[in-house]
Amino acid sequence: MTPRWDLLLTHATLATLDGEQPFGLIKDGALACANGRIAWVGRMSDLPSAASAVRTENLAGKLLTPGLIDCHTHLVFAGNRVREFDMRLNGASYEDIARAGGGIASSVAAVRAASEEELLQQSLPRARALLRDGVTTLEIKSGYGLDLANEGKMLRVARRLGETVGVGVRTTYLAAHALPPEFTDHADGYIDAVIAWLPQLHAAGLVDAVDAFCEGIGFSPAQTRRVFEVARALGIPVKLHADQLSDLGGAALVAEFNGLSADHIEYTRDDGVRAMAAHGTVAVLLPGAFHLLRETKLPPIAQLREHGVAMAVATDCNPGTSPLLSLRQAMQLACTHFRMTPEEALQGTTVHAAKALGLADRGALCTGMRADLVAWNVAHPAELCYWLGGDLAAQVIVAGQPSL
Ligand SMILES: O=C(O)CC[C@@H]1NC(=O)NC1=O
Ligand SMILES: [Fe+3]
């Protein structure tokens, strides 16, 4: 039977992220889409001669990759915190600012004051900026509402962003991000509330995963564990802001719950890496926050490689530690600061990022996967980590449809 495709892209340099070749590279390749899925991928010389498509486009050697997946963002927020940026340039630490009532708390006030529509309108430009730079799936966390109504507002805005911009969105409930003013000095009572709100938000279809900020200026391992136990009882996967500023054993804790990912992990020790390897927990590396905070403690990249822990890379787009609007820039920082290879960085924003979100239908150029694709104005995948800035995405295709 002659295949009848919707779209056929020819003469492309395919970075499939599949197979034995570095980047899964196929020179002079072709890829066909049908009904939003990849229907055929391979060498031009193997293309079925009778194949035809509604639209055929010759990419003339351009690089074609899977759509990029930003697996860790706080993209929904109001206002910004440029003043803190200036304070940090003058020597204040992230903790100093948080303890002085700035930091996350100031974003909480702004989100609570914003309507759902205002929050959507302020967040749309950030989602569109990431899309223009090749992102076709976004994870978006709550965590600036810190009460039921405002956490729900954030999660609804996250869902609406996906519908409005036309990208895939996975939501993460991060009410355990900071202590709201009404619970000052009463962290355990706030965790009771965080746990109480979860079933209702999950029943409303707003929660795909649960996260917490396990840190000296966040919540303790014991408080984190309480949240995770309720998530597990509800069948919701977990992930964790783990060991970012100190070693609290966060990576081992989220691995114990078969967590999707441990994120940041600058201070994670070998036992945490081994636990992640044993449980298939992905390491999500966030070089934007490392860079903006001028952190010096590197995540345990060598141990992650040694133990075969999948490494993802994300923007951590947020107004405090990582106002980063380019996942490609995060890849560049991951190579420059963390010495990841360009192949590891691209794996980190495709196949490994999909794993960090529990998604098996995207992240590589394989038959049957979602036809989320980016055609780039470059010839080799390493250039995605090489160029700083620039407008490299020639076409972004989501579920087989051009999105730009
Ligand atoms: O500063 C913010 O607004 C969020 C910072 C972000 N959240 C977290 O737990 N760690 C981070 O880097
Ligand atoms: Fe974060």
Side-chain angles (χ1 to χ4, degrees):
M1 184 188 89
T2 307
R4 177 82 177 140
W5 299 320
D6 301 326
L7 172 65
L8 174 59
L9 301 171
T10 62
H11 298 291
T13 301
L14 302 177
T16 66
L17 282 300
D18 182 42
E20 299 309 311
Q21 290 301 315
F23 301 98
L25 211 60
I26 297 176
K27 291 196 176 14
D28 198 27
L31 182 143
C33 315
N35 305 314
R37 295 280 166 176
I38 297 173
W40 191 93
V41 57
R43 289 193 298 264
M44 279 297 295
S45 52
D46 297 331
L47 193 59
S49 52
S52 72
V54 173
R55 182 167 79 87
T56 297
E57 183 174 347
N58 181 337
L59 290 185
K62 279 193 178 76
L63 173 69
L64 189 71
T65 69
L68 302 186
I69 299 168
D70 196 351
C71 67
H72 182 133
T73 88
H74 306 252
L75 188 94
V76 172
F77 59 85
N80 67 55
R81 291 180 9 220
V82 65
R83 197 175 61 81
E84 290 177 22
F85 174 65
D86 191 43
M87 288 166 68
R88 284 208 302 273
L89 292 178
N90 288 289
S93 75
Y94 184 69
E95 288 97 324
D96 297 341
I97 293 167
R99 290 198 167 93
I104 295 171
S106 58
S107 288
V108 171
V111 164
R112 287 182 170 182
S115 70
E116 183 170 321
E117 194 55 34
E118 286 165 345
L119 212 44
L120 177 70
Q121 292 309 319
Q122 290 193 38
S123 305
L124 272 170
R126 294 189 281 269
R128 289 190 170 118
L130 288 172
L131 172 64
R132 274 197 304 276
D133 200 29
V135 171
T136 56
T137 298
L138 265 179
E139 182 261 10
I140 303 177
K141 304 174 189 291
S142 66
Y144 293 124
L146 308 189
D147 63 29
L148 177 57
N150 286 288
E151 287 291 300
K153 177 172 74 178
M154 288 191 71
L155 293 165
R156 282 193 302 277
V157 168
R159 286 274 188 254
R160 289 177 62 189
L161 277 171
E163 294 151 12
T164 308
V165 175
V167 292
V169 165
R170 301 295 286 174
T171 59
T172 299
Y173 177 64
L174 177 60
H177 193 200
L179 206 53
E182 60 273 21
F183 281 92
T184 301
D185 299 330
H186 199 33
D188 285 326
Y190 177 60
I191 292 295
D192 292 339
V194 167
I195 287 168
W197 301 330
L198 178 53
Q200 183 177 333
L201 294 171
H202 184 236
L206 293 174
V207 178
D208 297 321
V210 172
D211 188 354
F213 182 29
C214 184
E215 191 56 68
I217 58 170
F219 295 92
S220 71
Q223 290 161 343
T224 301
R225 181 182 293 278
R226 287 179 59 210
V227 176
F228 281 3
E229 280 163 354
V230 174
R232 179 163 58 184
L234 290 167
I236 308 170
V238 296
K239 50 182 58 249
L240 187 63
H241 282 70
D243 308 330
Q244 175 184 1
L245 307 173
S246 63
D247 173 16
L248 293 185
L253 173 59
V254 69
E256 180 193 325
F257 282 82
N258 295 314
L260 292 171
S261 67
D263 300 39
H264 287 288
I265 66 166
E266 277 86 349
Y267 286 82
T268 294
R269 288 168 315 181
D270 208 54
D271 61 329
V273 172
R274 290 172 188 277
M276 291 169 71
H279 293 266
T281 298
V282 176
V284 175
L285 302 166
L286 302 169
F290 179 95
H291 179 75
L292 265 291
L293 295 176
R294 294 166 50 225
E295 176 58 71
T296 54
K297 180 73 175 63
L298 288 166
I301 302 291
Q303 293 92 321
L304 293 169
R305 286 186 182 125
E306 180 192 348
H307 294 290
V309 175
M311 296 189 284
V313 175
T315 61
D316 191 17
C317 176
N318 76 73
T321 64
S322 191
L324 177 53
L325 297 174
S326 162
L327 185 53
R328 239 182 359 93
Q329 182 70 66
M331 292 165 66
Q332 213 282 343
L333 293 172
C335 294
T336 301
H337 285 301
F338 298 165
R339 290 289 182 270
M340 290 176 76
T341 66
E343 183 182 17
E344 285 172 330
L346 186 55
Q347 288 169 332
T349 54
T350 52
V351 279
H352 293 163
K355 186 168 190 263
L357 297 179
L359 296 173
D361 66 345
R362 66 196 78 182
L365 301 183
C366 298
T367 306
M369 285 211 167
R370 276 172 59 94
D372 293 350
L373 313 165
V374 186
W376 300 93
N377 288 317
V378 299
H380 191 279
E383 292 185 70
L384 299 180
C385 304
Y386 165 71
W387 295 105
L388 277 161
D391 196 6
L392 300 188
Q395 266 197 78
V396 181
I397 295 170
V398 179
Q401 297 301 322
S403 73
L404 282 182

